[in-house]
C-alpha cells in the first residue's frame, strides 16, 4: 500500500489518543475547559488529561485551548524491561505516516521506577533504530537536538509511552505579545485562573499589569477569541496534515473576530511596563495607563481585581509592601472580588488563601481569592 493510502486508512479515518499537558494543579481547569468544547476526557492524571478523537479534534483543541501547554500525539504504549522490547514496539511504529523524507528529529526520555532507568542509553538506542528505519526506506532522517519534531519516551513502572509533540512551541506562546516585562505570568496560567474565578461580565481591573498578560487573556476570553489563531503548530509539518480541515477550523475562528468588547482597566506604576503593555495591547481596544495602585479609587462599586504581585527575587519591593496592598484593598475596594498571585514566602493576614498552589517560572505561588 502506498504512503498516501496508508495515511488515509491509518491516520485520517482513525481515532487517536492525545495527551494535553498542563502545570500540576491546573488539571481540573483544563478538564472543564475541554469538556466545555464538547469533548470527552478519557483520563486525568497529575500533569494532564487524555482525549481521543480524529485529527480534527487535535486541530480544534490546539486552536482553542487557553490552558494546555502542549499536546502529545500518542504513538504506542507497551511494557518493557529490556531494550529488545522497545525495538519490537518501535518496529510497529510507521514514522513515514508522520515524517517527510528529510525530517530532523529529537528524542526526550524520562524514566521513573523502571528497569530501563539509563535514559541516555535508551535515547541512543532509539535514535539508532529510527536511523535504521530511515535508511531502509531510503529517507534522510537526521537527529537534531534543536528540532521541534520531538519523540517523547516516557518510562514509568516498566511501561513505555511513545508520543510525538504535535504543538512545537508551547501553547502559551500565542504570538500576540511583542515584548515581556519583568516576571510575567505564563499566559495559560493567567487564562486558567480567569476561567476558574472570573465572571466575564464583571469589570476587570489589572492595576499591576506588567506586560498585560491578564488583560490580554481576559480580553480574549471576553471576545471569544481562539488563542491559537495567530500561530503555527508542529502537526502542520507532518505528512499526514489535513490542511483543508485545519484551514476550515481556523477560518471559522478567524471570521467575525472582534477585539472590541471590553470592560478591562489596565495600569502599572512603571513607564517601561506601561509602554510594553500598550505595545502588547495594540490589537485590543485597551489602553494601559500609568498609575500607582495605592492612588487608585475604583470607578465602580464592584468588580474583579487581579494582581500578580512583584515578589522578592524578581522585583524588589519595600518590606511592608504586602501589608500596604492588603490595607488598600480592605479600605477602598469593598465588595470587589480579588484574585492575587503571591510568592509562597509572603502572606496576607485577612485575605483568603485558596487551596490551589502553582509554579510559575520555577517559583511557587499561592493564590488568594475572595470578596472584600
Ligand atoms: C510581577 S509583575 C506583573 C507581571 C504581569 N502579570 C505580567 O504578566 O507581565 C508586577 C508589576 O507590578 C508593578 N508595580 C509594583 N508596584 C506597583 C504599584 N505601587 N502600583 C502599580 N504597579 C506596581 C511593577 O511595575 C510590575 O510591572
Amino acid at each position: 500500500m502506498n504512503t498516501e493510502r496508508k495515511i488515509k486508512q491509518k491516520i485520517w479515518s482513525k481515532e487517536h489518543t492525545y495527551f494535553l499537558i498542563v502545570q500540576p494543579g491546573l488539571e481540573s481547569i483544563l478538564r472543564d475547559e475541554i469538556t466545555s468544547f464538547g469533548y470527552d476526557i478519557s483520563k486525568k492524571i497529575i500533569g494532564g488529561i487524555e482525549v481521543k478523537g480524529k485529527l480534527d479534534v487535535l486541530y480544534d483543541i490546539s486552536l482553542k485551548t487557553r490552558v494546555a501547554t502542549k499536546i502529545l500525539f500518542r504513538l504506542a504504549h507497551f511494557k518493557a524491561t529490556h531494550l529488545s522490547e522497545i525495538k519490537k514496539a518501535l518496529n510497529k511504529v510507521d514514522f513515514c505516516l508522520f515524517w517527510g523524507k528529510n525530517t530532523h528529529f529529537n528524542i526526550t526520555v524520562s524514566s521513573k521506577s523502571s528497569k530501563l532507568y539509563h535514559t541516555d542509553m535508551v535515547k541512543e538506542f532509539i535514535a539508532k533504530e529510527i536511523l535504521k528505519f530511515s535508511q531502509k526506506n531510503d529517507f534522510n532522517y537526521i537527529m537534531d537536538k534543536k528540532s521541534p519534531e520531538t519523540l517523547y519516551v516516557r518510562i514509568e513502572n516498566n511501561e513505555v509511552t511513545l508520543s510525538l509533540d504535535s504543538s512545537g512551541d508551547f501553547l502559551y506562546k500565542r504570538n500576540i505579545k511583542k515584548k515581556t516585562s519583568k516576571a510575567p505570568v505564563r499566559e495559560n496560567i493567567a487564562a486558567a485562573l480567569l476561567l476558574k474565578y472570573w465572571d466575564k461580565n464583571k469589570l476587570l481591573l489589572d492595576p499591576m499589569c506588567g506586560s498585560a498578560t491578564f488583560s490580554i487573556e481576559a480580553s480574549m476570553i471576553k471576545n471569544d477569541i481562539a488563542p491559537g489563531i495567530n500561530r503555527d503548530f508542529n502537526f502542520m509539518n507532518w505528512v499526514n496534515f489535513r490542511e483543508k480541515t485545519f484551514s476550515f477550523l481556523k477560518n471559522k475562528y478567524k471570521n467575525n473576530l472582534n477585539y472590541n468588547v471590553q470592560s478591562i482597566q489596565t495600569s502599572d506604576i512603571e513607564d517601561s511596563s506601561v509602554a510594553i503593555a500598550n505595545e502588547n495591547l495594540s490589537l485590543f481596544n485597551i489602553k494601559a495607563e500609568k498609575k500607582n495602585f495605592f492612588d487608585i479609587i475604583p470607578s465602580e462599586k464592584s468588580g474583579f481585581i487581579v494582581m500578580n504581585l512583584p515578589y522578592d527575587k524578581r522585583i524588589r519591593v519595600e518590606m511592608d509592601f504586602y501589608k500596604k496592598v492588603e490595607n488598600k484593598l480592605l479600605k477602598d475596594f469593598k465588595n470587589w472580588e480579588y484574585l492575587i498571585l503571591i510568592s509562597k514566602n509572603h502572606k496576607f493576614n485577612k485575605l483568603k488563601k485558596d487551596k490551589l498552589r502553582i509554579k510559575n517560572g520555577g517559583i511557587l505561588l499561592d493564590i488568594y481569592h475572595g470578596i472584600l
Side-chain angles (χ1 to χ4, degrees), residues 84-98:
S84 59
E85 287 158 300
I86 292 194
K87 181 182 168 116
K88 208 168 132 197
L90 267 180
N91 281 338
K92 290 190 199 147
V93 178
D94 197 348
F95 287 96
C96 308
L97 306 185
F98 294 85

Side-chain angles (χ1 to χ4, degrees), residues 183-185 207-211 213 268-270 273 292-294 308:
V185 63
M208 297 196 189
C209 69
S211 52
T213 315
D268 198 285
I269 198 169
E270 296 247 359
S273 295
N292 183 344
F293 164 66
F294 299 104
N308 166 211

Side-chain angles (χ1 to χ4, degrees), residues 294 296-298 327-334 336:
F294 299 104
I296 295 178
I297 301 293
N327 290 341
K328 169 76 181 165
L329 286 170
L330 292 165
K331 182 169 156 277
D332 290 331
F333 286 85
K334 284 210 175 76
W336 276 64

Side-chain angles (χ1 to χ4, degrees), residues 177 179-187 190 206-214 267-274 276 280 291-296 307-311 314-317 321 325 341 360:
K177 275 190 181 168
K179 284 187 183 153
T180 52
S181 55
K182 274 181 263 172
V185 63
R186 292 240 196 279
E187 286 74 358
D206 181 9
M208 297 196 189
C209 69
S211 52
T213 315
F214 274 107
S267 52
D268 198 285
I269 198 169
E270 296 247 359
D271 283 318
S272 57
S273 295
V274 174
I276 290 173
N280 292 339
K291 279 185 194 169
N292 183 344
F293 164 66
F294 299 104
D295 296 337
I296 295 178
M307 284 191 286
N308 166 211
L309 293 186
Y311 29 82
R314 302 215 197 163
I315 304 174
R316 295 218 166 275
V317 286
F321 181 80
V325 169
L341 283 68
N360 180 55

Side-chain angles (χ1 to χ4, degrees), residues 207-242:
M208 297 196 189
C209 69
S211 52
T213 315
F214 274 107
S215 298
I216 293 171
E217 293 300 317
S219 180
M220 289 207 286
I221 291 173
K222 187 139 184 122
N223 289 296
D224 208 12
I225 296 170
I229 51 170
N230 286 312
R231 54 162 284 159
D232 289 340
F233 304 94
N234 191 49
F235 58 69
M236 297 165 80
N237 299 323
W238 292 346
V239 289
N240 61 37
F241 180 46
R242 298 194 78 168

